Short mmCIF file of all heavy atoms in Angstrom, two decimals:
data_model
loop_
_atom_site.label_atom_id
_atom_site.label_comp_id
_atom_site.label_asym_id
_atom_site.label_seq_id
_atom_site.Cartn_x
_atom_site.Cartn_y
_atom_site.Cartn_z
N ALA A 141 -4.63 6.81 11.10
CA ALA A 141 -4.01 5.57 11.58
C ALA A 141 -4.13 5.46 13.09
O ALA A 141 -4.43 4.38 13.62
CB ALA A 141 -2.54 5.53 11.15
N GLU A 142 -3.92 6.56 13.79
CA GLU A 142 -4.06 6.53 15.25
C GLU A 142 -5.52 6.31 15.65
O GLU A 142 -5.80 5.59 16.61
CB GLU A 142 -3.52 7.83 15.84
CG GLU A 142 -2.01 7.93 15.70
CD GLU A 142 -1.46 9.26 16.20
OE1 GLU A 142 -2.23 10.04 16.80
OE2 GLU A 142 -0.28 9.51 15.97
N ARG A 143 -6.45 6.91 14.94
CA ARG A 143 -7.86 6.71 15.24
C ARG A 143 -8.22 5.24 15.04
O ARG A 143 -8.89 4.63 15.89
CB ARG A 143 -8.75 7.58 14.34
CG ARG A 143 -10.25 7.46 14.67
CD ARG A 143 -11.13 7.94 13.54
NE ARG A 143 -11.09 7.11 12.36
CZ ARG A 143 -11.75 5.96 12.21
NH1 ARG A 143 -12.49 5.49 13.18
NH2 ARG A 143 -11.64 5.28 11.08
N LEU A 144 -7.77 4.68 13.93
CA LEU A 144 -8.04 3.26 13.66
C LEU A 144 -7.42 2.37 14.73
O LEU A 144 -8.04 1.43 15.20
CB LEU A 144 -7.48 2.87 12.29
CG LEU A 144 -8.44 2.89 11.12
CD1 LEU A 144 -7.69 2.60 9.83
CD2 LEU A 144 -9.58 1.93 11.31
N ARG A 145 -6.17 2.68 15.10
CA ARG A 145 -5.50 1.89 16.15
C ARG A 145 -6.31 1.92 17.44
O ARG A 145 -6.58 0.88 18.05
CB ARG A 145 -4.10 2.43 16.40
CG ARG A 145 -3.34 1.67 17.49
CD ARG A 145 -2.16 2.42 18.01
NE ARG A 145 -2.62 3.69 18.58
CZ ARG A 145 -1.89 4.79 18.64
NH1 ARG A 145 -0.66 4.79 18.18
NH2 ARG A 145 -2.36 5.90 19.16
N ASP A 146 -6.73 3.11 17.86
CA ASP A 146 -7.49 3.23 19.11
C ASP A 146 -8.83 2.52 19.00
O ASP A 146 -9.25 1.83 19.93
CB ASP A 146 -7.69 4.71 19.45
CG ASP A 146 -6.38 5.40 19.78
OD1 ASP A 146 -5.38 4.70 20.05
OD2 ASP A 146 -6.36 6.65 19.75
N ARG A 147 -9.50 2.67 17.86
CA ARG A 147 -10.81 2.03 17.70
C ARG A 147 -10.67 0.50 17.66
O ARG A 147 -11.43 -0.21 18.31
CB ARG A 147 -11.48 2.51 16.42
CG ARG A 147 -12.85 1.91 16.22
CD ARG A 147 -13.57 2.52 15.02
NE ARG A 147 -14.92 2.02 14.95
CZ ARG A 147 -15.28 0.89 14.36
NH1 ARG A 147 -14.37 0.15 13.78
NH2 ARG A 147 -16.54 0.51 14.35
N LEU A 148 -9.70 0.02 16.91
CA LEU A 148 -9.52 -1.43 16.81
C LEU A 148 -9.10 -2.02 18.14
O LEU A 148 -9.52 -3.11 18.51
CB LEU A 148 -8.49 -1.76 15.72
CG LEU A 148 -8.89 -1.36 14.30
CD1 LEU A 148 -7.74 -1.62 13.34
CD2 LEU A 148 -10.14 -2.07 13.86
N THR A 149 -8.26 -1.29 18.87
CA THR A 149 -7.85 -1.76 20.19
C THR A 149 -9.05 -1.84 21.12
O THR A 149 -9.24 -2.83 21.84
CB THR A 149 -6.78 -0.82 20.78
OG1 THR A 149 -5.67 -0.78 19.88
CG2 THR A 149 -6.33 -1.30 22.13
N ALA A 150 -9.89 -0.81 21.10
CA ALA A 150 -11.08 -0.82 21.96
C ALA A 150 -12.03 -1.95 21.56
O ALA A 150 -12.58 -2.64 22.43
CB ALA A 150 -11.78 0.53 21.86
N LEU A 151 -12.22 -2.14 20.27
CA LEU A 151 -13.10 -3.23 19.83
C LEU A 151 -12.52 -4.59 20.18
O LEU A 151 -13.25 -5.51 20.55
CB LEU A 151 -13.35 -3.13 18.32
CG LEU A 151 -14.25 -1.97 17.89
CD1 LEU A 151 -14.22 -1.79 16.40
CD2 LEU A 151 -15.67 -2.20 18.39
N GLY A 152 -11.19 -4.73 20.07
CA GLY A 152 -10.55 -5.99 20.43
C GLY A 152 -10.70 -6.29 21.91
O GLY A 152 -10.97 -7.42 22.31
N GLU A 153 -10.54 -5.25 22.74
CA GLU A 153 -10.71 -5.44 24.19
C GLU A 153 -12.15 -5.79 24.52
O GLU A 153 -12.41 -6.62 25.38
CB GLU A 153 -10.29 -4.18 24.93
CG GLU A 153 -8.79 -3.97 24.93
CD GLU A 153 -8.39 -2.63 25.54
OE1 GLU A 153 -9.27 -1.78 25.82
OE2 GLU A 153 -7.18 -2.43 25.72
N ALA A 154 -13.08 -5.15 23.84
CA ALA A 154 -14.50 -5.43 24.09
C ALA A 154 -14.86 -6.87 23.74
O ALA A 154 -15.77 -7.44 24.32
CB ALA A 154 -15.36 -4.46 23.30
N ARG A 155 -14.12 -7.44 22.82
CA ARG A 155 -14.43 -8.82 22.41
C ARG A 155 -13.46 -9.82 23.05
O ARG A 155 -13.27 -10.91 22.56
CB ARG A 155 -14.40 -8.92 20.90
CG ARG A 155 -15.63 -8.24 20.30
CD ARG A 155 -15.49 -8.06 18.80
NE ARG A 155 -16.70 -7.56 18.21
CZ ARG A 155 -17.11 -6.30 18.26
NH1 ARG A 155 -16.41 -5.42 18.92
NH2 ARG A 155 -18.23 -5.92 17.67
N SER A 156 -12.80 -9.39 24.11
CA SER A 156 -11.90 -10.25 24.89
C SER A 156 -10.84 -10.91 24.03
O SER A 156 -10.61 -12.11 24.08
CB SER A 156 -12.70 -11.33 25.61
OG SER A 156 -13.62 -10.75 26.48
N ALA A 157 -10.17 -10.11 23.24
CA ALA A 157 -9.15 -10.64 22.34
C ALA A 157 -7.79 -10.71 22.99
O ALA A 157 -6.87 -11.27 22.44
CB ALA A 157 -9.05 -9.79 21.08
#
Side-chain angles (χ1 to χ4, degrees):
E142 291 176 9
R143 183 198 68 80
L144 264 175
R145 179 197 60 207
D146 294 343
R147 182 174 186 274
L148 296 175
T149 302
L151 288 169
E153 288 174 351
R155 287 167 173 78
S156 300

